[in-house]
Amino acid sequence: MLANREGLFNAYPVDIGIGESRQNKLLQVNILYRLFEESAGGEWTNCSAENLEITGYHILEKRDHSLNESTIESLKAALGWDGRDPFWMQDNAQQLAQQPVQVKLAFEEYEGKQNLKVQFLNPYGSQRGGVAKADDGLRRNVGNRLGSKFRALAGGTPANPPKPAGTPAAS
């Protein structure tokens, strides 16, 4: 049965294929998810008896044909893909079907209709859909690129605190 509501779900990727998007012929990973748990009020409840399924379309390239890095990173994290050969996911679909993941479903408008779609894919056990954290490389990049702008906006570099004028007096 087709999934019928928004929410955060744990699911199994029961089938995986590689194809192209209809409109722009962009490379995408098509994953059929079978939902087995739903997050409700901070608790996970079993929904496997409903036999809910939804297909997620994970587009691997942008319209300019550069790689869609955020989608690739989410597939790597959730499925254990090394990011090199996208056909690996299709070729290993049977083994990956045993590996649970987490999906966020939400309604989106397309051509005047509301459609339920897989909005996010995260590793199984992610907290609140997962929040990306900056690594050392990103910190350096941001510091080099924007650090002076942040400091200028904040009023420049703070002055160092004054050094003590001598040893403290013994009491």
Side-chain angles (χ1 to χ4, degrees), residues 39-99:
S39 178
E43 299 290 322
W44 289 99
T45 58
N46 189 322
C47 66
S48 60
E50 295 179 69
N51 294 316
L52 300 173
E53 293 183 338
I54 190 166
T55 300
Y57 302 95
H58 306 279
I59 299 177
L60 299 179
E61 63 179 318
K62 298 177 184 177
R63 287 185 183 179
D64 67 0
H65 299 289
S66 63
L67 293 177
N68 186 342
E69 292 181 28
S70 63
T71 297
I72 291 169
E73 290 302 320
S74 70
L75 288 163
K76 287 169 56 177
L79 300 176
W81 173 43
D82 68 3
R84 295 180 193 279
D85 178 9
F87 297 102
W88 177 89
M89 291 176 279
Q90 177 176 298
D91 296 343
N92 290 280
Q94 188 173 359
Q95 294 85 352
L96 293 172
Q98 307 303 312
Q99 182 174 326

Side-chain angles (χ1 to χ4, degrees), residues 93-112:
Q94 188 173 359
Q95 294 85 352
L96 293 172
Q98 307 303 312
Q99 182 174 326
V101 296
Q102 189 180 94
V103 291
K104 168 84 167 85
L105 306 185
F107 283 101
E108 293 180 10
E109 186 173 331
Y110 180 71
E111 294 182 351

Side-chain angles (χ1 to χ4, degrees), residues 149-164:
K149 293 177 183 180
F150 279 114
R151 288 188 298 278
L153 183 64
T157 305
N160 291 329
K163 294 183 181 181

Side-chain angles (χ1 to χ4, degrees), residues 107-127:
F107 283 101
E108 293 180 10
E109 186 173 331
Y110 180 71
E111 294 182 351
K113 292 183 182 179
Q114 289 288 321
N115 297 302
L116 190 61
K117 293 191 171 196
V118 175
Q119 202 170 44
F120 298 105
L121 168 65
N122 296 302
Y124 178 73
S126 291
Q127 300 297 312

